[in-house]
Amino acid sequence: MTILVIAEHDNKALAPATLNTVAAAAKIGGDVHVLVAGQGASAVAEAAAKIAGVAKVLSADNAAYAHQLPENVAPLVAELGKSYSHILAAATSNGKNILPRVAAALDVDQISEIISVESADTFKRPIYAGNAIATVQSNAAIKVITVRATGFDPVAAEGGSAAVEAVGAAHDAGISSFVNEELAKSDRPELTAAKIVVSGGRGMQNGDNFKHLYALADKLGAAVGASRAAVDAGFVPNDMQVGQTGKIVAPQLYIAVGISGAIQHLAGMKDSKVIVAINKDEEAPIFQVADYGLVADLFEAIPELEKLV
Amino acid sequence: MKVLVAVKRVVDYNVKVRVKADNSGVDLANVKMSMNPFCEIAVEEAVRLKEKGVATEIVVVSIGPTTAQEQLRTALALGADRAILVESAEDLTSLAVAKLLKAVVDKEQPQLVILGKQAIDSDNNQTGQMLAALSGYGQGTFASKVEVSGDSVAVTREIDGGAQTVALKLPAIVTTDLRLNEPRYASLPNIMKAKKKPLEVLTPDALGVSTASTNKTLKVEAPAARSAGIKVKSVAELVEKLKNEAKVI
């Protein structure tokens, strides 16, 4: 049994979600190979070779893979994947974009966003916005799976010494091209990898008020998230959204401020170790999942909290 | 150009589902069903393309039980021109649905196929990508903006760090994210008119598609419940608990 893990990266650095995906691969058992498809991504391949437990790194360096266009990357993964028992990718926007295309090319069903490995062919995954957990068995010759990063503790980024092997195959379908990218700039930790997350909801009233959360987050070394209500109201950009349709986080501490706790939001954060809710409505559903609840006006509580931590 | 929109009948997003006692699935008996929210956005986008004069015909397709005709009628009331139901009583996997949609695409030859990015029941986020692979088309997933010009479509996609724009040759597949648009409501006159619009019923057999699956759901359980927390009286007490009891700061 050999497992192919698709590395998540931006051609410069390996994304942490790759380490969680390798951890899932290690639970399945067998040799783990990592594919780095990109352009000028040799630093990523070297980083992948150092991951504990990785036996081999395949480096496909080609202009066609520069922006991870699925039309070009999926045929490569499908071709290489034929000699593997499992193909895994992190359930990031890239992984979700590419892997189903690979599964269809290989004519197998995919299993999305697994949160645990029961055996080499059986996995658990949340359905209905996390309101039910399904145990799914696959009898496909090649099991194609995306991995929810928060379900697996990352393996060590150092300690391995895998060989890097260049892959010559170049697939350019010629039906898609990259135009541009606008990335939100932030000095704070990445939302899905942060140990502490402070999130604001509709109760923040406007985008300007998020400065109170930023101040608190900076003091805690936390990332700042938001509910869909806050994003839809235009308070903050949408890549801050935590929930079923946004990011899934499971930090040590999640502080929900002015968030009522709709099921779509809970689906994105209810696996956090400790949940704190600050809301002036004591009937808000968020208090049903919060370990510590404080019924208070957030505009008084947040500055005070910032002072005390 | 012709636009094909795929819609799914799912449990209404406001319903809190319950797992069946025998762990065979979730209890959907007597539960309110609706069009998947991402599919509503897909229909809305197609209608807007028609209003702009880009699309000439909107065909809406659903794959599922006879009752999915309700969701197709809703789409017709929102502005779709005609509907196709591929009737199947089974619970189909995304790959099976993608294969059936591929057969419909072959038959209808649309220039653009719009789907939702994921269905809120299975939470798979696979069908659009799989259809793109099977048909050999480009894919613009998690779209927040769609602009057709000539023989290509520019799709702005929501990605983890922000937004990315790709250009795809037509025909192409687009899957909708929440921010693409705000779906309209169907007006009563349009609901009445929709009853007269054509709705064709097909079967997987008639399309020559096998819906066999390599996946099997062994059981469905309720998620582990969180133990009830406590309410603190002050910010000072909260900080004290976080430091000394939970030890997270």
Side-chain angles (χ1 to χ4, degrees), chain A residues 11-79:
Chain A
N11 290 323
K12 296 183 203 81
L14 189 72
T18 311
L19 301 176
N20 307 75
T21 312
V22 171
K27 287 223 166 111
I28 294 168
D31 277 352
V32 178
H33 295 182
V34 175
L35 169 68
V36 178
Q39 186 186 22
S42 55
V44 178
E46 281 162 32
K50 289 194 192 118
I51 300 174
V54 171
K56 185 157 87 175
V57 173
L58 303 173
S59 165
D61 212 299
N62 191 288
Y65 308 138
H67 299 286
Q68 314 260 334
L69 292 174
E71 295 80 5
N72 302 344
V73 176
L76 169 75
V77 178
E79 183 186 293

Side-chain angles (χ1 to χ4, degrees), chain A residues 1-5 25 28-33 80-88 106 108-109 120-121 123 138-145:
Chain A
M1 224 164 42
T2 317
I3 301 165
L4 183 65
V5 170
I28 294 168
D31 277 352
V32 178
H33 295 182
L80 295 172
K82 289 200 174 85
S83 41
Y84 289 89
S85 61
H86 297 71
I87 304 174
L88 269 59
L106 293 170
V108 296
D109 286 300
D121 67 359
F123 309 89
S138 165
N139 59 27
I142 305 167
K143 293 161 184 62
V144 178
I145 297 163

Side-chain angles (χ1 to χ4, degrees), chain A residues 3-4 6 28 74 77-78 81-82 84-90 95-96 98-114 120-121 123 125 136-147, chain B residues 95 124 126 130 214-215:
Chain A
I3 301 165
L4 183 65
I6 317 301
I28 294 168
V77 178
K82 289 200 174 85
Y84 289 89
S85 61
H86 297 71
I87 304 174
L88 269 59
K96 290 176 184 176
I98 294 168
L99 223 59
R101 201 169 172 116
V102 173
L106 293 170
D107 195 25
V108 296
D109 286 300
Q110 180 186 298
I111 304 180
S112 292
E113 301 216 27
I114 61 162
D121 67 359
F123 309 89
R125 60 177 300 264
V136 184
Q137 187 178 45
S138 165
N139 59 27
I142 305 167
K143 293 161 184 62
V144 178
I145 297 163
T146 61
V147 175
Chain B
L95 183 63
N124 271 336
Q126 300 174 2
M130 287 179 159
T214 53
N215 281 359

Side-chain angles (χ1 to χ4, degrees), chain B residues 45-58:
Chain B
E45 194 64 17
V47 173
R48 290 188 190 189
L49 286 172
K50 194 175 177 195
E51 285 168 348
K52 275 192 245 168
V54 176
T56 47
E57 188 188 22
I58 302 169

Side-chain angles (χ1 to χ4, degrees), chain A:
Chain A
M1 224 164 42
T2 317
I3 301 165
L4 183 65
V5 170
I6 317 301
E8 172 82 15
H9 67 93
D10 60 359
N11 290 323
K12 296 183 203 81
L14 189 72
T18 311
L19 301 176
N20 307 75
T21 312
V22 171
K27 287 223 166 111
I28 294 168
D31 277 352
V32 178
H33 295 182
V34 175
L35 169 68
V36 178
Q39 186 186 22
S42 55
V44 178
E46 281 162 32
K50 289 194 192 118
I51 300 174
V54 171
K56 185 157 87 175
V57 173
L58 303 173
S59 165
D61 212 299
N62 191 288
Y65 308 138
H67 299 286
Q68 314 260 334
L69 292 174
E71 295 80 5
N72 302 344
V73 176
L76 169 75
V77 178
E79 183 186 293
L80 295 172
K82 289 200 174 85
S83 41
Y84 289 89
S85 61
H86 297 71
I87 304 174
L88 269 59
T92 53
S93 56
N94 258 331
K96 290 176 184 176
N97 196 24
I98 294 168
L99 223 59
R101 201 169 172 116
V102 173
L106 293 170
D107 195 25
V108 296
D109 286 300
Q110 180 186 298
I111 304 180
S112 292
E113 301 216 27
I114 61 162
I115 52 169
S116 86
V117 173
E118 302 297 294
S119 71
D121 67 359
T122 307
F123 309 89
K124 285 193 176 181
R125 60 177 300 264
I127 53 176
Y128 290 91
N131 286 310
I133 307 294
T135 305
V136 184
Q137 187 178 45
S138 165
N139 59 27
I142 305 167
K143 293 161 184 62
V144 178
I145 297 163
T146 61
V147 175
R148 182 174 284 191
T150 57
F152 298 88
D153 292 328
V155 295
E158 301 285 336
S161 57
V164 178
E165 192 176 288
V167 176
H171 295 268
D172 190 347
I175 50 175
S176 60
S177 58
F178 171 84
V179 179
N180 64 34
E181 206 162 71
E182 274 177 59
L183 299 180
K185 288 189 182 66
S186 173
D187 297 332
R188 295 187 189 86
E190 218 256 311
L191 199 49
T192 50
K195 291 223 158 36
I196 303 179
V197 173
V198 181
S199 279
R202 201 195 301 272
M204 297 305 295
Q205 295 177 5
N206 59 51
D208 194 40
N209 284 334
F210 265 75
K211 65 178 185 234
H212 300 299
L213 297 191
Y214 294 134
L216 175 63
D218 288 344
K219 199 119 180 232
L220 292 166
V224 179
S227 70
R228 189 184 154 196
V231 170
D232 281 354
F235 299 172
V236 289
N238 58 41
D239 55 301
M240 285 170 64
Q241 184 185 320
V242 172
Q244 184 189 15
T245 56
K247 301 218 168 111
I248 313 287
V249 301
Q252 294 287 304
L253 173 61
Y254 188 90
I255 306 179
V257 183
I259 292 176
S260 64
I263 55 172
Q264 294 91 333
H265 186 74
L266 300 183
M269 47 63 82
K270 68 183 166 59
D271 291 326
S272 306
K273 185 161 170 267
V274 175
I275 297 173
V276 169
I278 300 174
N279 205 303
K280 65 179 175 194
D281 174 13
E282 64 179 310
E283 301 295 318
I286 189 79
F287 286 118
Q288 289 163 20
V289 299
D291 299 281
Y292 301 107
L294 175 64
V295 181
D297 182 350
L298 67 96
F299 295 105
E300 286 163 25
I302 295 301
E304 195 184 341
L305 183 57
E306 191 209 329
K307 242 176 262 158
L308 290 175
V309 295

